[in-house]
């Protein structure tokens, strides 16, 4: 399954194509290489092991799904290379896999747009370098993740939504 042993087992989200978000897990000795590949335009999430799709999910995204997340409240789902930074067994939307947004590229853009200062950008860079969750309370937004609650429409504030049963499967 995707999230095994607490937060010691990190994953990275990889941007493959425009509007495509993926999640990769470093291979464990003797274990399969696991990856979530999220295609925003198609509203699908594919769970892969060693490059083979094992299961596909329909997803719901933020209310403004086109493009990369830029700021708090823009309802966009981030794109780029991310990892699961934390997980919550109980959340408002059943279970929650917290993603490492904002990443350094987002911090750089945010600093240029004067949404964050140089100190905040550096804190983000340092957290990501240590594979820790970056600050979640900046003007870039935060608390972005994969959660339950349903996937029939784009309704989140920037997260990736699946059904409650599907987040259970991904969480295990």
């Amino acid at each position: 399954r995707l999230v095994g042993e607490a937060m010691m087992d990190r994953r990275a989200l990889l941007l493959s194509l425009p509007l495509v978000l993926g999640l990769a897990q470093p291979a464990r000795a003797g274990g399969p290489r696991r990856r979530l590949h999220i295609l925003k335009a198609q509203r699908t999430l594919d769970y892969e092991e060693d490059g083979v799709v094992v299961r596909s999910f329909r997803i719901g995204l933020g209310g403004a799904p086109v493009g990369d997340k830029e700021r708090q409240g823009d309802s966009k789902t981030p794109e780029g290379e991310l990892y699961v930074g934390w997980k919550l067994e109980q959340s408002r939307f059943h279970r929650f896999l917290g993603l490492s947004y904002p990443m350094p590229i987002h911090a750089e853009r945010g600093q240029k747009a004067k949404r964050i200062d140089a100190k905040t950008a550096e804190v983000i860079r340092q957290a990501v370098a240590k594979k820790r969750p970056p600050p979640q309370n900046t003007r870039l937004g935060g608390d972005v993740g994969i959660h339950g609650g349903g996937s029939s429409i784009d309704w989140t504030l920037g997260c990736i939504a699946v059904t409650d049963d599907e987040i259970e499967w991904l969480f295990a």
Side-chain angles (χ1 to χ4, degrees), residues 63-75:
V66 177
D68 198 2
K69 186 159 191 63
E70 297 175 14
R71 61 178 172 75
Q72 183 177 9
D74 65 8
S75 292

Side-chain angles (χ1 to χ4, degrees), residues 62-100:
V66 177
D68 198 2
K69 186 159 191 63
E70 297 175 14
R71 61 178 172 75
Q72 183 177 9
D74 65 8
S75 292
K76 293 185 178 184
T77 301
E79 299 172 351
E81 185 175 334
L82 306 163
Y83 53 88
V84 173
W86 73 98
K87 62 184 206 173
L88 299 173
E89 287 198 34
Q90 294 183 358
S91 81
R92 184 173 167 200
F93 303 108
H94 195 55
R95 299 207 188 282
F96 185 84
L97 300 174
L99 301 178
S100 63

